[in-house]
Amino acid sequence: MTVSVKEVAQRAGVSVGTVSNVLNHPERVSEAARRKVTDAIRDLGFVRNDAARQLRAGRSTTLGLVVLDVRNPFFTDVALGAEDAAAAAGLSVLLGNSDENPERESTYLDLFEEQRVFGVLISPVGDVGERLHRLRERGTPAVLVDRVSADETTSSVSVDDVEGGRVAVEHLIAQGRRRIAYVGGPFAIRQVTDRLEGAQRAIDASPDAALEVLTTHGLTVLEGRRIGEQIAARPAARRPDAVFAANDLLAMGLLQALVMQGRVRVPDDVALIGFDDIDFMTAAVVPISSVRQPSRLIGETAVRLLLAESEDPSVERQRIEFTPELVARASTGVVAEDQRNSGA
Amino acid sequence: MTVSVKEVAQRAGVSVGTVSNVLNHPERVSEAARRKVTDAIRDLGFVRNDAARQLRAGRSTTLGLVVLDVRNPFFTDVALGAEDAAAAAGLSVLLGNSDENPERESTYLDLFEEQRVFGVLISPVGDVGERLHRLRERGTPAVLVDRVSADETTSSVSVDDVEGGRVAVEHLIAQGRRRIAYVGGPFAIRQVTDRLEGAQRAIDASPDAALEVLTTHGLTVLEGRRIGEQIAARPAARRPDAVFAANDLLAMGLLQALVMQGRVRVPDDVALIGFDDIDFMTAAVVPISSVRQPSRLIGETAVRLLLAESEDPSVERQRIEFTPELVARASTGVVAEDQRNSGA
DNA sequence: CACCGCATCTGAATCGTTTCAAAGCAACTC
DNA sequence: GAGTTGCTTTGAAACGATTCAGATGCGGTG
């Protein structure tokens, strides 16, 4: 059924070793032999069996990336950055979607480990320190993405979520808002907690501001819509005058629910700010303010750190933390002259 | 470094065959032996080497999915559907992003073939008939996604793009528009051509309507913005009164460019409709009309067909074609009471 | 012409798992 | 007690690519 090196060797009239050399070390092979072998490969339609190759090599040329939610453009952007950087190093990326579910996360890690992937990038749901430790002991390096590493053994690439949260709420306060709601969850996700902490700091710095926390079951448009409906249903006096959503998908859902009911005006009644600054924010009913993360760069950097660690496992671990950037738009009362040029 | 079955066997005091049986056919093994083996596995931290397993088995439990653009929520939804269906069959999905680039597409197909993936799902850029034929000859089944198969040898799951295009433009005409622009490209992508053909049909059915074609280099927000700026820059009399965008990302970009310049009102001056009906459309500045495709279902169905073909390679090929559905919103002058509940 | 160095080629050994024919063993039948 | 049955276990063979120590051949040298 499948053509193997042996058959190629036979057809070309050389040994299997020579075939392998043509494939992997062409400089060691004479012009004539190379010709014969490449011809035979073409004629027979030979395709290298990666499993056999890996078995011998001990490690694959694939790296695994586990994200919290593939539907979130932030993560597809991270994946894109990772893919680029990996491709440049001759690696490819296997993308897993944990859907904020620790079990699925664990399943993907198992899968990656069985595959002896080159390395793992992960945006974890819960605490994976122990897990990554074991992985590394068995020779698979790992890098945390969008989360600061808790110990010295793991590199990480992230954004200062606390600062991001602080900046977001500071901005809301600067716009005159005082009764602020934080929408996010579950709190097992570190980003959710950190952004809240940042929010709290900004509140603490402003004596007359108050923070209310509304918990969601996930960071999705649907959950945002649910909370938005709750807020819209309240009597006007009991509504917050600003909402900081833990990410843009939530913000999107919130906006839909608030505006479409027609009862709440954004930003007049309620200001709104999200987090991530995904491309779609500019095009929202009311362009939504957000806190921008350099998503592609995060992916690229994570791969770079992974490569460094894999080349020299004793290399010092790095915790790279980017500083997020406030992007103010109409949803927080800033008249947006917002022709930003995102993308390439 | 790595623990193998041999070491597990030694530690447990049994043969390697027994270890393998514990892993793969536990019912064949006595309770006592199973205990000893599982204990040894735990103690040693044994993790199966998938490469070796595959080498023996001849085929992996991973399937490859190549999409045109991971950043397009339509494709992540398809991927999600595929992932679900695959997981139910004990398979996992390797996601590749061709970025509408035939070379990248080809690279992913090579990669998948070397990996001896279980099967390939592909939303092709150009003509891959020949390529898939060769793949199948070597034992890897393939299913086309979001594209009708050109021959009898390949199954496909798609949406009737011609009908979708027709419905979209028919709707624009019904809303009183006559000078209609189609925005899309490159035309190597079949969906782009088919949707145009549908548009043309609707135009042909209405003697006083005219169609103008504006070509883009890709189906992205950025390209949409570029064309939108061109349209906005025209004198009002030379503008179309309706735009049909080949997909939602383009529509999003168009909307941004049209509305944000402040010169063109949507839908008053220019009506706008997209294609795919991604989640974000409801939340746009002006909620954008679209043609909905059952994206998750497409992914699930594709996996189903792949499984069928892999079980019995002689099974009859199917071309499943879903009928897309018009979703009218404010961007085409329909007052949207649009609380649709998308997602789970 | 014997010897050397160099470039090239060879093929057995190896990676770790699964499979499967054969063997071992205990219980049971006649 | 010989024979049979059925359950477990064994261990060598196989999967296909890569590696590497040694073989081969060739031109050049003294």
Side-chain angles (χ1 to χ4, degrees), chain A residues 47 71 83 94 108 116 283 285, chain B residues 47 83 94 108 116 283 285:
Chain A
V47 175
R71 301 191 51 177
E83 210 185 359
L94 186 50
Y108 272 112
R116 301 288 192 275
V285 188
Chain B
V47 175
E83 211 186 357
L94 185 49
Y108 271 112
R116 301 291 191 273
V285 188

Side-chain angles (χ1 to χ4, degrees), chain B residues 248-284:
Chain B
D248 282 347
L249 297 184
L250 283 175
M252 212 101 198
L254 282 160
L255 181 68
Q256 288 176 29
L258 293 176
V259 166
M260 293 192 183
Q261 307 271 1
R263 269 186 288 182
V264 180
R265 289 167 304 160
V266 175
D268 312 59
D269 301 328
V270 177
L272 177 64
I273 187 166
F275 207 109
D276 289 347
D277 194 35
I278 62 179
D279 275 356
F280 300 103
M281 302 313 268
T282 50

Side-chain angles (χ1 to χ4, degrees), chain A residues 47-51 53-54 60-63 83 86-87 90-95 115, chain B residues 54 59-60 62-66 93-97 103-120 131 135 138 140:
Chain A
V47 175
R48 229 215 230 87
N49 183 326
D50 197 52
R53 187 236 262 283
Q54 276 181 216
S60 90
T61 58
T62 301
L63 59 85
E83 210 185 359
L91 301 171
S92 46
V93 176
L94 186 50
L95 184 60
Q115 303 218 6
Chain B
Q54 274 181 218
R59 191 142 300 283
S60 90
T62 301
L63 58 85
L65 167 61
V66 187
V93 176
L94 185 49
L95 183 61
N97 176 37
E103 258 175 63
R104 296 192 49 153
E105 174 175 278
S106 180
T107 305
Y108 271 112
L109 288 176
D110 287 346
L111 181 73
F112 290 159
E113 193 170 1
E114 287 196 358
Q115 303 218 6
R116 301 291 191 273
V117 293
F118 182 87
V120 170
R131 192 67 204 276
L135 259 182
R138 299 184 199 135
T140 307

Side-chain angles (χ1 to χ4, degrees), chain B residues 80 91 93 123 127 137 139 149 172 180 207 216-217 274 290 303 339:
Chain B
L80 235 38
L91 302 171
V93 176
S123 162
D127 184 14
E137 266 179 357
S149 157
L172 293 175
I180 296 172
T216 61
H217 302 307
S290 194
V303 170
Q339 288 306 69

Side-chain angles (χ1 to χ4, degrees), chain A residues 73 279-280 283, chain B residues 68-75 99-100 183 195 216 218-226 245-257 272-281 288-290:
Chain A
D279 275 355
F280 300 103
Chain B
L68 287 174
D69 178 11
V70 249
R71 303 191 51 176
N72 185 339
F74 168 70
F75 286 113
D99 241 341
E100 299 175 5
V183 176
R195 290 168 195 174
T216 61
L219 301 170
T220 63
V221 176
L222 223 60
E223 279 291 284
R225 216 178 281 164
R226 187 173 66 82
N247 85 350
D248 282 347
L249 297 184
L250 283 175
M252 212 101 198
L254 282 160
L255 181 68
Q256 288 176 29
L272 177 64
I273 187 166
F275 207 109
D276 289 347
D277 194 35
I278 62 179
D279 275 356
F280 300 103
M281 302 313 268
I288 308 177
S289 300
S290 194

Side-chain angles (χ1 to χ4, degrees), chain B residues 30-43:
Chain B
S30 71
E31 180 58 28
R34 197 178 323 161
R35 278 285 313 257
K36 285 190 290 182
V37 171
T38 48
D39 285 357
I41 287 178
R42 187 176 19 72
D43 295 350

Side-chain angles (χ1 to χ4, degrees), chain B residues 190-241:
Chain B
R190 186 54 160 274
Q191 290 90 318
V192 175
T193 335
D194 283 358
R195 290 168 195 174
L196 172 57
E197 186 186 331
Q200 190 61 57
R201 284 197 198 165
I203 294 287
D204 292 347
S206 168
D208 55 345
L211 189 69
E212 169 188 11
V213 177
L214 300 171
T215 310
T216 61
H217 302 307
L219 301 170
T220 63
V221 176
L222 223 60
E223 279 291 284
R225 216 178 281 164
R226 187 173 66 82
I227 300 290
E229 278 157 17
Q230 281 179 20
I231 293 176
R234 295 188 190 174
R238 300 233 340 273
R239 280 185 209 129
D241 59 9

